[in-house]
């Protein structure tokens, strides 16, 4: 050892730092009157490499001096100056070895590059492109490589009586809110189902309300989003056999934040977020406004616009809300078909189907020209919402506004907005108000998600 600190103290210090992590491998090997202690994080190291290069030769070689010489001959073997360096190197995939009162560091990092594909659900223009895969150890590796801190803690467990699906809680021990962590563990302990096969299933089990429209937890496939939220004191939940993770607590604004907002200049990110909120407003209200203006309150519009809408509906034989429901349901069918069809034919089939359906319906006099424009705008604006779970919720919610507009006109839309704000105001995500701009943080120097 090159430093003055005894090797035993260095090993004890490293063990003390990581002892609460369930991916810690710490064992003492004995044979032939010799002993060797190894310590490493399984999620960061290649276990096969350690077995072939360290453990097997230890038992095959008779004398300690021979094994020590062999150890030094391995590439990547060093001796730490002190416990702090050893603690830091463990996070880089090094194995700490205690042999005959000497301590060594052996590089055995596991680079999980195979089987990792690009993000397909949350694509961004700039920034990392990789996504989680279905191996939880690989996913932990991807998070640890991005968050090299000894404060990062991993706790594993299982959920589901039959499936016994492995899950991992990841959080920063200094930044996490202990109350939220305790509440999460309590809810996990209360889960009493046979099967958990996806992060979305686990999310449903963690929700507190029996009837829920908006998600309390964020489901993401992006490791950089998980890491960004860990730095904000939130908790990541990785689920084995699925390429998605949960982030909690999550508030309403988080579901309109893309990772592009983090990588872009702040003013650009804020502009993009405003665009998404405008898209939210349009997808919620455009069909409802169309019904209100054509059936109840045409006097609010200018005369020219009122005549234009009336002219487009001259041949339509039924009320405006039937026209809206007909077109929106056709759009829902196209979206569902595009999700189920093979990728090679899905976009072509839905594009051709949409164009033919819209043109044919207009020429047949079943819907007006303006209705086709509105349906297209609703479909496009709905897809600007970056998180899929919120996207689906908004798709359902717009039918509530259509129902209210069909009965009360503009008054119904206003009442719908008041009810929506009241409902959102009463929601919480693990104790955090849902309409809070960002999750309340117990520390000062953390950059909230979406800010540079």
């Amino acid at each position: 050892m090159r430093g003055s600190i005894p090797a035993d103290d260095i090993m004890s210090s490293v063990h003390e730092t990581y002892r609460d992590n369930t991916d810690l491998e710490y064992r003492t090997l004995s044979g032939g009157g010799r002993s060797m202690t190894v310590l490493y994080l399984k999620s960061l190291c290649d276990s096969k490499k350690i077995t072939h290069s360290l453990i097997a030769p230890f038992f095959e070689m008779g004398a300690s001096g021979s094994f020590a010489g062999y150890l030094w001959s391995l590439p990547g073997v060093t001796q730490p100056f002190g416990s702090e360096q050893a603690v830091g190197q463990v996070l880089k995939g090094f194995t700490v070895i205690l042999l005959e009162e000497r301590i060594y560091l052996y590089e055995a990092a596991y680079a999980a590059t195979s089987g990792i594909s690009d993000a397909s659900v949350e694509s961004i223009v700039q920034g990392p492109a990789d996504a989680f895969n279905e191996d939880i150890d690989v996913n932990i590796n991807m998070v640890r490589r991005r968050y090299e801190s000894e404060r990062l803690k991993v706790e594993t467990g299982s959920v589901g009586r039959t499936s016994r699906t492995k899950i991992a809680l990841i959080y920063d021990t200094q930044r996490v809110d202990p109350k939220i962590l305790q509440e999460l563990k309590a809810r996990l302990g209360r889960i009493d189902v046979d099967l958990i096969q996806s992060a979305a299933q686990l999310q449903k089990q963690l929700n507190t309300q029996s009837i829920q429209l908006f998600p309390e937890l964020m489901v993401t496939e992006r490791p950089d989003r998980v890491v960004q939220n860990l730095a904000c004191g939130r908790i990541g939940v990785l689920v084995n056999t699925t390429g998605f993770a949960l982030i909690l607590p999550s508030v309403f604004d988080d579901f309109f934040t893309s990772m592009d907002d983090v990588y872009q200049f702040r003013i650009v990110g804020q502009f993009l977020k405003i665009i998404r909120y405008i898209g939210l407003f349009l997808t919620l209200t455009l069909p409802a406004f169309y019904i209100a203006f054509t059936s109840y309150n045409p006097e609010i519009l200018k005369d020219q616009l009122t005549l234009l809408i009336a002219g487009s509906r001259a041949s339509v034989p039924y009320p405006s809300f039937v026209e809206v429901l007909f077109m929106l349901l056709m759009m829902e069918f196209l979206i569902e078909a595009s999700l189920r069809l093979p990728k090679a034919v899905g976009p072509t089939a839905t594009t051709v189907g949409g164009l033919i359906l819209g043109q044919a319906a207009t020429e047949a006099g079943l819907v007006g020209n303006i209705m086709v424009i509105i349906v297209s705008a609703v479909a496009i604006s709905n897809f600007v919402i970056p998180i899929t779970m919120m996207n689906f919720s908004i798709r359902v919610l717009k039918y509530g506004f259509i129902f209210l507009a069909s009965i009360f006109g503009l008054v119904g839309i206003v009442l719908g907005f008041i009810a929506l704000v009241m409902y959102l105001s009463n929601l919480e995500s693990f104790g955090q108000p849902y309409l809070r701009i960002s999750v309340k943080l117990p520390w000062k120097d953390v950059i909230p998600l979406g800010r540079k």
Side-chain angles (χ1 to χ4, degrees):
M1 189 186 70
R2 287 182 283 181
S4 59
I5 304 175
D8 289 339
D9 292 348
I10 293 178
M11 181 59 86
S12 299
S13 177
V14 177
H15 184 218
E16 181 66 22
T17 302
Y18 297 106
R19 65 183 175 87
D20 291 333
N21 289 277
T22 51
D23 59 341
L24 173 69
E25 190 73 19
Y26 176 78
R27 60 177 62 182
T28 300
L29 311 175
S30 300
R34 303 163 298 144
S35 67
M36 178 179 72
T37 303
V38 294
L39 181 152
Y40 60 94
L41 295 175
K42 290 186 289 186
S43 59
L44 290 177
C45 293
D46 187 342
S47 298
K48 293 182 179 177
K49 184 178 180 181
I50 293 173
T51 301
H52 291 299
S53 302
L54 297 180
I55 297 176
F58 173 76
F59 290 105
E60 292 171 355
M61 295 183 182
S64 297
S66 301
F67 182 72
Y70 162 77
L71 202 57
W72 264 119
S73 69
L74 293 175
V77 171
T78 60
Q79 285 187 299
F81 291 102
S83 56
E84 186 176 346
Q85 184 192 7
V87 168
Q89 293 297 84
V90 169
L91 294 173
K92 297 183 182 298
F94 278 78
T95 301
V96 184
I97 306 164
L98 176 63
L99 176 68
E100 300 295 336
E101 298 184 354
R102 290 179 182 272
I103 199 154
Y104 304 88
L105 293 174
Y106 172 59
E107 185 179 10
Y110 171 62
T113 54
S114 61
I116 296 176
S117 58
D118 292 347
S120 58
V121 180
E122 297 176 65
S123 301
I124 63 173
V125 179
Q126 295 178 322
D130 55 345
F132 287 129
N133 68 11
E134 296 179 349
D135 188 331
I136 192 171
D137 292 327
V138 173
N139 296 338
I140 295 174
N141 175 283
M142 296 170 73
V143 174
R144 276 206 181 274
R145 279 194 294 155
R146 286 178 162 89
Y147 203 96
E148 287 190 5
S149 170
E150 61 274 13
R151 301 191 309 266
L152 187 68
K153 186 173 179 179
V154 178
E155 291 186 60
T156 56
S158 62
V159 290
R161 288 192 302 267
T162 304
S163 62
R164 296 179 181 177
T165 306
K166 184 179 178 181
I167 63 171
L169 312 184
I170 302 182
Y171 55 90
D172 188 314
T173 53
Q174 288 189 3
R175 295 180 171 179
V176 70
D177 188 334
K179 294 181 180 177
I180 296 176
L181 181 61
Q182 186 177 4
E183 174 65 20
L184 172 61
K185 291 180 179 178
R187 293 190 191 184
L188 287 172
R190 290 196 292 267
I191 293 178
D192 186 24
V193 295
D194 281 332
L195 296 175
I196 294 290
Q197 300 186 79
S198 70
Q201 270 186 303
L202 182 60
Q203 180 207 30
K204 289 171 61 179
Q205 295 299 323
L206 290 173
N207 286 335
T208 53
Q209 300 183 13
S210 56
I211 300 177
Q212 187 115 16
L213 184 57
F214 292 95
E216 289 183 11
L217 296 85
M218 185 185 296
V219 180
T220 181
E221 63 171 345
R222 300 190 62 87
D224 57 340
R225 185 186 284 274
V226 171
V227 169
Q228 179 75 20
N229 281 274
L230 291 178
C232 294
R234 294 172 181 173
I235 304 170
V237 182
L238 303 180
V239 183
N240 201 23
T241 71
T242 179
F244 292 87
L246 297 176
I247 298 173
L248 63 105
S250 297
V251 295
F252 187 74
D253 185 68
D254 295 334
F255 295 93
F256 293 87
T257 302
S258 168
M259 287 307 294
D260 264 331
D261 304 347
V262 179
Y263 302 130
Q264 294 281 357
F265 295 117
R266 181 175 179 180
I267 189 170
V268 176
Q270 294 296 337
F271 172 77
L272 294 175
K273 185 177 286 189
I274 291 172
I275 292 294
R276 294 186 200 105
Y277 276 108
I278 293 174
L280 167 67
F281 179 77
L282 291 179
T283 194
L284 272 181
T285 60
L286 264 183
F289 276 128
Y290 180 79
I291 295 171
F293 289 144
T294 54
S295 301
Y296 292 92
N297 310 97
E299 71 280 1
I300 293 180
L301 300 177
K302 287 186 175 181
D303 294 341
Q304 291 177 329
L305 188 55
T306 303
L307 293 174
L308 183 64
I309 295 175
S312 72
R313 298 196 70 254
S315 60
V316 179
Y318 35 71
S320 58
F321 75 91
V322 176
E323 179 187 11
V324 169
L325 285 179
F326 172 74
M327 287 304 294
L328 287 181
L329 287 177
M330 288 299 108
M331 182 189 70
E332 300 288 357
F333 293 153
L334 286 173
I335 294 174
E336 285 299 305
S338 66
L339 294 176
R340 315 301 167 203
L341 285 172
K343 291 183 179 179
V345 298
T348 304
T350 52
T351 301
V352 173
L355 289 174
I356 294 176
L357 182 65
Q359 185 177 359
T362 305
E363 291 179 354
L366 297 176
V367 296
N369 293 325
I370 295 179
M371 188 63 238
V372 176
I373 298 173
I374 289 176
V375 168
S376 302
V378 168
I380 294 171
S381 57
N382 195 68
F383 289 125
V384 303
I385 300 172
I387 302 300
T388 307
M389 293 294 290
M390 181 60 75
N391 187 311
F392 286 163
S393 298
I394 299 302
R395 276 174 63 185
V396 175
L397 187 61
K398 68 172 177 281
Y399 290 97
F401 279 88
I402 290 172
F403 174 75
L404 291 173
S406 302
I407 298 177
F408 304 110
L410 281 179
V411 176
I413 298 174
V414 174
L415 290 176
F417 265 108
I418 294 174
L420 176 62
V421 172
M422 292 175 64
Y423 174 70
L424 291 173
S425 301
N426 285 319
L427 287 182
E428 289 186 347
S429 176
F430 286 82
Q432 298 293 322
Y434 202 58
L435 285 184
R436 189 188 291 274
I437 299 300
S438 62
V439 173
K440 185 179 180 181
L441 307 176
W443 61 94
K444 297 179 180 179
D445 300 325
V446 174
I447 304 172
L449 183 63
R451 297 184 182 178
K452 292 189 68 175

